[in-house]
Amino acid sequence: GDSVTQMEGPVTLSEEAFLTINCTYTATGYPSLFWYVQYPGEGLQLLLKATKADDKGSNKGFEATYRKETTSFHLEKGSVQVSDSAVYFCALIQGAQKLVFGQGTRLTINP
Amino acid sequence: DVKVTQSSRYLVKRTGEKVFLECVQDMDHENMFWYRQDPGLGLRLIYFSYDVKMKEKGDIPEGYSVSREKKERFSLILESASTNQTSMYLCASRPGRVTTEAFFGQGTRLTVV
C-alpha cells in the first residue's frame, strides 16, 4: 500500500540555520503531497502542498518540490526561527481519499 | 475559514467507561476521519467516513466504533475504555476531491485511568 517515510528526528538547529527534512513516498499512482505542521498543544495545520510532478509548494519561507523521479517531497527553509519549532508531517493522498502520514519530525530551534 | 471542532481538549475517563469523542465541521465536507497520535508512531487512522452513515475501518479500528448520522458530525466511540487508549485523538475533514487537503480539529487528549 501507499506509504510515507520521513527522516528520523528529533532535529535541533540554531536560529538562522538552513533546514531540510527529507520525505519519500511509495505510491502506485500520482498522489498529491502535503506538509503539515503541529505546534505544541494544537492540531495539524497545512503548511504547503503540491498536486503534480515538478510542482513547488511554498508558505512562510518553507518550500518543497514534488519530485516524481526520486519519489520525494523534501521540506526546506533557508533561515529558521525559534517560532518554527514544531512537529512536521509529510503526507500523501490518492485514490481511496485517506491521507497517509509519515511518522513526523520534531524540530527544535535554539536562539 | 474551514472549522473543525472537537468537543473537548482534555478528557479523563476510567477504565471500562464508554467514551464519546465528538467532531463537527462546518464546510459540508463529504469525508471525515479519526486519527490517534502517539509518540514515535505518528498518526494512525482509526476510521473514516466518506458519506452519511458510511464508514470504513482504518489501520487500527480495534476497540473503537464510529457514528455519522449527519454530514457535519462524526463521533468516535470507545465502547469500554482501556489504559492503552490513552492518546491524542485528531479529527479531520475534507471535500471528496482527490487533490484537496484535509482540515484538522485541535485534538482531544484522552487519559484513561
Side-chain angles (χ1 to χ4, degrees), chain B residues 4-6 21-25 32 34 72-74 91-92:
Chain B
V4 180
T5 304
Q6 295 183 227
L21 303 183
E22 307 285 349
C23 176
V24 177
Q25 50 95 2
M32 297 188 74
W34 276 106
E72 67 269 20
R73 186 180 297 270
F74 192 36
C91 175

Side-chain angles (χ1 to χ4, degrees), chain A residues 67-108:
Chain A
R67 301 285 188 202
K68 186 160 176 59
E69 63 276 13
T70 55
T71 62
S72 65
F73 193 53
H74 305 321
L75 182 68
E76 295 182 336
K77 187 174 185 181
S79 176
V80 293
Q81 306 301 313
V82 172
S83 57
D84 294 327
S85 297
V87 181
Y88 292 81
F89 291 92
C90 186
L92 68 80
I93 188 167
Q94 69 170 352
Q97 304 184 352
K98 55 181 180 176
L99 275 167
V100 176
F101 286 90
Q103 67 270 40
T105 302
R106 181 175 298 278
L107 174 66
T108 301

Side-chain angles (χ1 to χ4, degrees), chain A residues 30 32 34 36 38 40-46 49 51 87 89 93-104, chain B residues 9 31 33 35 37 40-43 45 48 50 59 88 90 94 96 98-107:
Chain A
Y30 301 93
S32 294
F34 306 90
Y36 280 85
Q38 184 181 36
E42 298 184 11
L44 273 68
Q45 304 173 23
L46 180 69
K49 66 180 181 181
T51 58
V87 181
F89 291 92
I93 188 167
Q94 69 170 352
Q97 304 184 352
K98 55 181 180 176
L99 275 167
V100 176
F101 286 90
Q103 67 270 40
Chain B
R9 291 293 298 269
N31 298 348
F33 307 85
Y35 291 88
Q37 182 181 11
L41 297 177
L43 274 73
L45 182 65
F48 68 103
Y50 48 88
D59 301 317
M88 170 72 91
L90 293 165
R94 61 182 297 275
V98 173
T99 59
T100 308
E101 67 269 25
F103 299 85
F104 281 80
Q106 76 277 28

